[in-house]
Structures are given as structure tokens and as C-alpha cells.
């Protein structure tokens, strides 16, 4: 009896240790893993996936041919900008750290927009960013409502999480939020293609996206394993953390290069990140000063 119990306990411990390991290592899809070491001048099967990924987030320029598997100059320069943005070693090659980053779940909003004169000025001095042309709300009292095309959680569960996320921004700005119908902001869960030219991709990778002011649409990918409690499991995505980030977009913030900022594009499953960083606060205040 006793040895059996000890063996069970040992097995349980091993399972826990394994679980801890899995947590720290983002899942890299098998096909992507084969691209490790890829560099300019060669052709690699499946490389177009990386081009399309970099294109979706604003790195791979329209001049490149994103549907071929050849490693061209455009891809090399796109990889360098991506590596620089995410503070990876800037090699212009597909190394393991770059693949690891690419395999981590993230927000669907692009990181870099066309360089217009105002954007360049800001990106030189700060980690935070704005959308092209710095679109803003022209009022500070905003209304919101829930409208989903896929069921994930009830509005009763959705409401307190949303309120808490909105309050984080209200606390550091002049914004106030109130539920109403019709509303300025419409948030909800959607699956795959959902009518806005930015289809979701099933479990993993893109978790959510939102549009710049004064659009107000905020969409969560219904296929993620969303967590709505404080007791998050290792493979789950904390809804409130993502909500705070997406509301940042709704208000006009782009992505931040600061990993501590809420507006950083990547999210680790199994973690909770519900506090605005210094950079987020600086960003919203810079956008709405005067
Ligand atoms: C695309 O190519 C044109 C002509 O070669 C060049 O003028 C332009 O700067 C390029 N654009 C980008 C975004 O690389
Ligand atoms: C870049 O700017 C051009 C012209 O203003 C626009 O047509 C294009 O959609 C923009 N691209 C992105 C990624 O914003
Ligand atoms: C940008 O973020 C980095 C890393 O968090 C930080 O060390 C740096 O001071 C930030 N830069 C500015 C201008 O806030
Ligand atoms: C979500 O994660 C929980 C906890 O790990 C797990 O029990 C559940 O099966 C997952 N649900 C889906 C749809 O993957
Ligand atoms: Zn985002
Ligand atoms: Zn959408």
C-alpha cells in the first residue's frame, strides 16, 4: 500500500514538473520548426508562412512576393526589423529565438504602420505608438455594448471583466465608460471569418484585435481557451489581460516595444497581466494631452 502511494506521488510530481516545463516554452508548430537556420538566397518549403506572418504585422513590404518560398532581400530586411522591434539578435535569418517568438500567441493588430512624419517622430523617443495619423476620440464619455456571433461566455460574466478593464484606463485618463445601446464601442466573440477582412485563425496565434478610433470594434477569437477567473491554467488566456490591451487600441494606442507594457503585442498563456505599465500611461496621456 505505502510503496504504491509513494509511486503515485512520484508520478504526480513528474507530471507537475513536466507541466511547468511546457509552460515556459511556447509551442512551435512542426512545419515552422523546419525553417530554423533559413537565410537569404535559398528556397525553403513553407517559408511563405513566415512572409505572410511578417506581412500581416506590417514588416514585410508590398514589394516582396509573399506567396513564394524563396528567401529574398525583402524577407531579410523584414526579419531584421522584426528582430529589432522584439529585441532579438538582429541576424536577418530565421533562428530559434525568432521562431519561438513567432509561435507565441499575440494580438492581431499590426506592429508597424506606414511611416508618416508624425509616427517617426514618436517612435524615436518612446516605446508606445499610435495608429497612422494619430486618430483619437473627440469626446471623453464613451459607451459600449456586447455583441457576439459565437458563444463563449454569458454577458453576465463578460460585464465585470470588461468593467474592470475599462476602469484601468479610466483611472489614468479623462475617459469614462457606460454601457448603452447603441454605443461607440462594440465588443464580442467571433470565430474564423466574421465580416471584417481579418478572419480569426482558430486556437493559438492571434487572440483578438480591435480597430483604431473612432471605429470602436473589439473582437475576441472565440476559439481560444479563455480564462475568466484568477485561477488561470497553464494553457489558458486571461480575458481581462487581453481586454485591457484591446481597449488600448480602441482608445488609439498602437503596440509598444516595452515587454512590460500592456500594449506589448505578445501574451503568454497561463499568465495574468492586468496592470498598466508606465509606458501605457505615458502613451495615453501623450495622445490626449491638450
Ligand atoms: C518598393 O519599391 C519601389 C521601387 O523600387 C521603391 O521606391 C519603394 O521605396 C519600395 N517600397 C518599400 C516599402 O520598400
Ligand atoms: C500605407 O499607405 C498607403 C497609402 O497611403 C495605403 O494605401 C496602404 O494601405 C497603407 N498600408 C498600411 C499597411 O497601412
Ligand atoms: C523602453 O522600454 C525599455 C524596456 O522596458 C526601457 O528600458 C526603456 O527605458 C523604454 N524607453 C522609454 C523611452 O521609455
Ligand atoms: C481549457 O483549459 C482547461 C484547463 O487546462 C481544460 O480543462 C479545457 O479542456 C480546455 N478547453 C478547451 C476547449 O481546450
Ligand atoms: Zn494589440
Ligand atoms: Zn474582427
Amino acid at each position: 500500500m505505502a510503496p504504491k502511494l509513494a509511486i503515485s506521488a512520484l508520478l504526480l510530481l513528474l507530471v507537475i514538473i513536466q507541466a511547468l516545463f511546457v509552460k515556459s516554452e511556447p509551442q512551435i508548430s512542426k512545419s515552422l520548426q523546419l525553417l530554423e537556420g533559413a537565410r537569404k538566397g535559398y528556397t525553403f518549403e513553407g517559408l511563405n508562412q513566415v512572409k505572410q506572418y511578417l506581412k500581416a504585422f506590417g514588416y514585410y513590404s508590398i514589394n516582396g512576393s509573399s506567396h513564394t518560398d524563396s528567401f529574398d532581400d525583402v524577407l531579410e530586411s523584414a526579419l531584421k526589423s522584426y528582430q529589432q522591434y522584439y529585441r532579438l539578435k538582429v541576424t536577418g535569418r530565421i533562428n530559434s529565438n525568432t521562431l519561438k517568438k513567432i509561435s507565441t500567441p499575440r494580438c492581431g493588430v499590426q506592429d508597424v504602420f506606414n511611416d508618416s512624419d508624425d509616427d517617426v517622430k514618436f517612435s524615436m523617443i518612446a516605446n508606445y505608438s499610435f495608429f497612422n495619423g494619430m486618430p483619437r476620440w473627440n469626446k471623453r464619455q464613451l459607451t459600449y455594448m456586447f455583441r457576439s456571433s459565437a458563444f463563449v461566455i454569458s454577458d453576465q460574466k463578460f460585464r465585470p471583466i470588461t468593467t474592470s478593464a475599462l476602469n484601468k484606463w479610466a483611472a489614468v485618463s479623462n475617459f469614462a465608460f457606460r454601457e448603452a445601446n447603441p454605443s461607440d464601442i462594440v465588443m464580442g466573440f467571433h470565430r474564423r471569418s466574421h465580416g471584417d477582412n481579418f478572419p480569426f485563425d482558430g486556437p493559438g496565434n492571434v487572440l483578438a484585435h480591435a480597430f483604431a478610433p473612432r471605429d470602436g470594434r473589439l473582437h475576441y477569437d472565440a476559439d481560444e481557451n479563455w480564462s475568466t477567473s484568477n485561477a488561470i491554467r497553464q494553457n489558458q488566456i486571461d480575458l481581462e489581460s487581453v481586454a485591457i490591451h484591446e481597449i488600448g487600441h480602441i482608445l488609439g494606442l498602437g503596440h509598444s516595444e516595452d515587454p512590460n507594457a500592456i500594449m506589448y503585442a505578445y501574451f503568454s498563456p497561463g499568465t495574468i497581466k492586468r496592470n498598466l505599465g508606465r509606458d501605457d500611461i505615458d502613451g495615453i496621456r501623450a495622445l490626449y494631452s491638450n
Side-chain angles (χ1 to χ4, degrees), residues 238 241 244 258-262 264 266 271-275:
D238 182 48
S241 304
I244 300 168
D258 181 353
N260 300 315
I262 281 285
Y264 190 69
Y266 286 91
T271 63
I272 285 179
K273 187 182 189 184
R274 298 182 187 161
N275 293 313

Side-chain angles (χ1 to χ4, degrees), residues 41-72:
Y42 299 86
T43 294
F44 301 86
E45 198 183 329
L47 191 65
N48 67 86
Q49 291 174 64
V50 175
K51 292 181 177 178
Q52 276 156 39
Y53 183 93
L54 292 171
K55 189 177 171 190
F57 298 116
Y59 298 94
Y60 190 84
S61 92
I62 44 168
N63 283 358
S65 48
S66 61
H67 291 283
T68 73
D69 283 337
S70 66
F71 202 127
D72 52 16

Side-chain angles (χ1 to χ4, degrees), residues 61-205:
S61 92
I62 44 168
N63 283 358
S65 48
S66 61
H67 291 283
T68 73
D69 283 337
S70 66
F71 202 127
D72 52 16
D73 289 319
V74 184
L75 178 56
E76 188 185 54
S77 98
L79 268 172
K80 283 182 176 170
S81 324
Y82 177 81
Q83 289 166 334
Q84 185 169 8
Y85 190 97
Y86 285 107
R87 299 175 183 164
L88 302 165
K89 199 172 169 203
V90 179
T91 60
R93 295 184 185 190
I94 300 183
N95 54 25
S96 73
N97 283 341
T98 304
L99 281 178
K100 230 180 248 176
K101 200 80 202 169
I102 288 178
S103 310
T104 307
R106 61 164 289 155
C107 171
V109 174
Q110 63 189 85
D111 297 330
V112 273
F113 295 91
N114 285 347
D115 278 342
S116 68
D117 291 340
D118 359 300
D119 292 338
V120 173
K121 187 178 71 209
F122 280 101
S123 64
M124 301 297 270
I125 55 164
N127 288 312
Y128 59 75
S129 72
F130 308 129
F131 291 96
N132 261 357
M134 289 177 69
R136 287 179 284 189
W137 293 91
N138 55 2
K139 56 184 178 183
R140 299 294 177 268
Q141 313 275 323
L142 298 179
T143 51
Y144 63 93
M145 65 180 282
F146 304 110
R147 190 162 64 215
S148 298
S149 62
F151 181 82
V152 173
I153 53 167
S154 65
D155 286 358
Q156 286 91 313
K157 253 188 154 170
F158 202 177
R159 187 167 289 118
I161 290 167
T162 300
T163 308
S164 173
L166 290 166
N167 284 343
K168 299 281 159 82
W169 291 106
V172 301
S173 68
N174 295 325
F175 280 104
F177 303 94
R178 172 174 64 82
E179 194 174 340
N181 181 2
S183 61
D184 302 306
I185 305 167
V186 180
M187 35 187 119
F189 291 89
H190 305 276
R191 174 170 285 121
R192 301 286 178 177
S193 189
H194 55 281
D196 63 6
N197 291 325
F198 298 96
F200 280 131
D201 53 4
N205 198 10

